[in-house]
Amino acid sequence: MTAYDAAAPAYDAAGSAPYDAVVLAGGAAKRLGGADKPGLSVGGRPLLDRVLTACAGAATTVVVGGRRPTARPVEWTREEPAGGGPLAALDAGLRRTSAESVLVLSADLPFLAAPTVDALLDELRRTGREGALCTDADGRDQPLVAAYRAEPLRRELTLLATAHGSLAGLPLRMLTRELDLARITADPLASFDCDTWEDLAAARARIRDHGGVLDEWITAVKDELGIELDVDTGVLLDLARDAAHGVARPAAPLTTFLVGYAAAKAGGEGRDVVEAARKAAALANRWAAEAEAEAEAAGGPKNDAG
């Protein structure tokens, strides 16, 4: 098919076209013994919440599946008939959206992150094609890690429903082979999904062993506390080191807590954290300098804050 040539969508104040998201959170999870897959946790957060964090910029997010508590507000719907498969679920979710671009995701992507979402949407806008999807490490298309233009998506779903009498039970490839698609090679882990208990164990192990464990932990804490502040972990770690070395080891967690409290009182922006941390670090360094000067004057060992 030819590239989609509809008028360009309106852009928001930040210069990005608005988009909606449809997250497919149904399915029987047969290889997980029928477990509630979207509710299984990786890094202390349900798989569904991890996906919702990645697409937090959506104007409307529709989750197709059973209702449950989520990290942020979403709209809920179910496919008809229940258990009708991915195309029926996609159709149900699409009916609740209004943006010209729709992000379509499965609910079991533990490593999906905002940069991949942005890359898909950017590719969709840049190429003017009907969709942009990720390919996995083996080069296979991932139609549930993708961004589509809503109009051709609705068109093809309608044609399929007309031709087959229903969308129930139809495979996704029957939809994607009719669309003009661009493909991106994103983070190899972006399309990693948890279909089996082995997949889930591998995801949990990677969260703990990967070099980004601190970033994972901070993200989890922010989600748990409902905080949207961008935190420079390096600044806080440097502060904790200075407090532990210049004062005493227990001073590190207490000082970082007080910095957070001061930053909240000052307005709660990222710059408020940086400024409060700067002041506290300077104080810790002055404290350490005084201790070292006293130790040198007395001819004793320097302060090691043990």
Side-chain angles (χ1 to χ4, degrees):
M1 292 188 176
T2 58
Y4 187 71
D5 59 0
Y11 284 74
D12 61 22
S16 298
Y19 72 94
D20 291 336
V22 174
V23 181
L24 305 190
K30 293 180 180 178
R31 285 190 281 174
L32 287 166
D36 176 25
K37 182 161 63 169
L40 296 174
S41 69
V42 172
R45 292 190 292 155
L47 287 169
L48 176 57
D49 279 348
R50 297 181 71 91
V51 173
L52 293 178
T53 296
C55 62
T60 297
T61 300
V62 182
V63 179
V64 186
R67 289 177 178 265
R68 67 191 67 234
T70 51
R72 65 179 180 83
V74 300
E75 293 189 15
W76 296 94
T77 191
R78 295 301 297 264
E79 72 275 20
E80 292 290 344
L87 285 190
L90 176 55
D91 182 62
L94 196 60
R95 291 175 185 275
R96 299 294 190 94
T97 66
S98 59
E100 294 184 20
S101 299
V102 181
L103 190 71
V104 177
L105 305 168
S106 61
D108 61 346
L109 303 167
F111 303 114
L112 181 70
T116 297
V117 168
D118 292 342
L120 287 167
L121 293 166
D122 287 346
E123 185 72 3
L124 188 66
R125 289 189 287 264
R126 185 185 70 81
T127 63
R129 299 173 79 173
E130 294 178 329
L133 51 74
C134 280
T135 57
D136 65 17
D138 296 321
R140 293 172 298 198
D141 287 350
Q142 299 297 313
L144 297 183
V145 192
Y148 300 94
R149 297 195 185 278
E151 187 278 327
L153 204 58
R154 290 190 177 96
R155 178 194 70 217
E156 295 303 331
L157 286 169
T158 299
L159 290 173
L160 284 170
T162 300
H164 296 272
S166 169
L167 294 171
L170 298 183
L172 272 170
R173 64 177 177 273
M174 293 187 71
L175 172 67
T176 54
R177 72 189 183 191
E178 299 298 330
L179 296 170
D180 178 35
L181 300 174
R183 290 160 175 83
I184 69 167
T185 303
D187 180 342
L189 288 173
S191 60
F192 179 93
D193 55 6
C194 292
D195 284 334
T196 66
W197 292 113
E198 290 77 14
D199 293 337
L200 189 71
R204 288 171 171 171
R206 186 172 183 85
I207 288 292
R208 293 186 176 276
D209 293 341
H210 192 265
V213 65
L214 282 178
D215 288 336
E216 285 283 350
W217 170 247
I218 293 299
T219 299
V221 171
K222 289 193 294 183
D223 282 354
E224 191 73 14
L225 299 179
I227 297 171
E228 296 183 2
L229 176 68
D230 287 331
V231 177
D232 187 333
T233 55
V235 168
L236 294 179
L237 288 173
D238 288 346
L239 168 62
R241 179 202 62 210
D242 292 342
H245 174 75
V247 184
R249 295 192 191 281
L254 293 173
T255 303
T256 52
F257 166 78
L258 293 173
V259 162
Y261 183 78
K265 288 190 66 177
E269 300 292 334
R271 61 178 178 272
D272 299 317
V273 176
V274 172
E275 179 60 15
R278 183 192 65 78
K279 290 180 178 178
L283 176 61
N285 288 333
R286 293 198 300 271
W287 189 292
E290 288 179 7
E292 291 177 359
E294 290 297 319
E296 288 177 359
K302 293 183 178 181
N303 171 46
D304 62 3

